[in-house]
Amino acid sequence: AGHPGDADGAPLPEALSVCFGQLVHLLARGGGQAVLPEGSPLLRDATFLETTLAWGERPRATTRYGERCVGPGLHVMEAHDASGKRPMSWVETTVGLCGAGLHAVVAWRPAVCGAVTGHPMVPVLSVQLDDAGV
């Protein structure tokens, strides 16, 4: 889920974009699914897109908020309020991702902001980079 890093406005480190891209690629090749909310900064990150979407497609919403995803691969969940203008909060987004069938959340935000908040509905793995950025 992308809201923690996005809300803080920090750029994604390249090593993190590659890592998340490779994880999504491996999940998809193994028949699994990865789901990102449509506001995720990964969907605007050139390194992530090159690593994940080698065929050059621009990501678009493939499932509605809280709906189960169909088929393996990377899915993008609609994640905005009823007006369609305001992105949902971290908690609202995570609830929708759980409804989409996700079994775990892997999230990052800058170390100066602390770890990503956990969620009672799903395990949350908070990724942090060391001083070398790896």
Side-chain angles (χ1 to χ4, degrees), residues 35-37 62-69 76-80 88 92-102 121:
V35 185
L36 290 173
T62 58
T63 187
R64 297 185 66 164
Y65 177 80
E67 287 185 349
R68 289 227 176 241
C69 301
V76 179
M77 180 190 75
E78 292 179 350
H80 47 59
M88 292 183 171
E92 293 168 317
T93 299
T94 306
V95 169
L97 291 168
C98 290
L102 129 111
M121 293 175 66

Side-chain angles (χ1 to χ4, degrees), residues 32-54:
Q33 297 176 336
V35 185
L36 290 173
E38 64 184 343
S40 172
L42 288 170
L43 297 174
R44 298 182 304 275
D45 184 85
T47 301
F48 174 80
L49 294 174
E50 287 174 20
T51 305
T52 307
L53 308 169

